Amino acid sequence: MGIVRSEERTKAELDHFRRMLMASAGILHRRKDHRDHFNGSPFPYSGGEIDRVGLVCVTSGLSFLGIAVVNRLLARGYSVRIVVDNPDDLEKIAEMETNYCNVSAIMANLIDDGGESLAEAFKDCRGVFHTSAFIDPAGLSGYTKYMADIEAKASENVIKACARAPSVKNCVLTSSLLTCVWPNSSTRHETSSSCVINQDCWSDESLCRDKKLWYALGKLQAEKAAWKVADENGLKMTSICAGLITGPDFYSRNSTATTAYLKGAPEMYERGVLATVDVNRLAEAHVCVFEAMNKKTSSGGRYICFDEIIQEEEEAETLARELSISKAKICGTGASSSVRDRFQLSNRKLTSLMSTQLRPCYNESQVQF
């Protein structure tokens, strides 16, 4: 079971993907001309040569985030292999003109095939971006208690396959800010600072179960399972704990995950931890931390990623309008609240890395789609 999408949404995602490939093909062609102009020397990047180019793999490469990550990787000069979970997507991608875009696709089972399809998917790849999320079509929000176990199992399988693949050196896992913002009241004094939520903080599994925050629980179990396998096998991994993913038409293209993320939104709003991140910014963060992993000075580990914290009613109203829901579902009714603690989110670690790591590699480096 993977990301279950309606036929209409699948078509929309493939259309977005097709437009991205066409735009990327044009840029790659112009880059080739530019290299030729420099008498065949490597394409210049920040005064040096590109040392990142190679084959990488993106799970769920046709998802809202997956397309953005693939887009960013192509713009940075990588070849990309996309993992899909059904033959229809594989066939439709094969019909597209991808020869000029350094893109290929492969079908793999992330849950229960013994790792054979994942081994094939990761073969010859230098890195893996595990962006997959799982949806239960029987659930009201598309994410139920059952899905938390599925999420953790898939994450464990992917990291095991990465550790077994001789070519894979690094893995970037897409996690969620929800894995950080639900600490148990009895352990809050153990956070890195009295009221600061950063990459060192973890949500409490028991609290997530008690509040029926299944999406938060799934992401929490998946990330912990991934870190356990990575540590046991010596695999170099980073995780990005992302806020609610927004961007062009984000609700229509990512509605189930959005709805599942916002369970408990009024309490997150009251605590000051309801945050969003633009999908293109998040994709850029993925590539940034991946490239930083090749440096000996990289601290690795976890990163919190968000652009905006929803703190004012006007901001909540704007988000509610984009979701076509009432403002009360975002920030509550305004009545007296039982929330006692208010936190401060910190993404200083990622902001510092991105301010020094990324430089424009070309004046057309980012393809918009």
Side-chain angles (χ1 to χ4, degrees), residues 140-192:
L140 186 62
S141 69
Y143 204 101
T144 61
K145 180 180 180 181
Y146 165 72
M147 298 313 298
D149 294 332
I150 296 294
E151 189 99 42
K153 180 63 175 176
S155 180
E156 182 180 355
N157 288 345
V158 167
I159 305 305
K160 282 183 178 178
C162 286
R164 292 169 182 161
S167 62
V168 174
K169 306 303 179 185
N170 303 319
C171 178
V172 178
L173 170 76
T174 306
S175 187
S176 172
L177 184 58
L178 298 179
T179 64
C180 307
V181 301
W182 292 104
N184 190 294
S185 58
S186 63
T187 60
R188 281 172 191 157
H189 65 279
E190 298 175 2
T191 57
S192 59

Side-chain angles (χ1 to χ4, degrees), residues 90-110:
L90 189 65
E91 183 177 345
K92 290 172 182 176
I93 292 175
E95 294 172 357
M96 299 178 187
E97 295 292 334
T98 61
N99 292 334
Y100 300 103
C101 299
N102 298 334
V103 175
S104 59
I106 189 169
M107 192 171 73
N109 188 325
L110 276 59

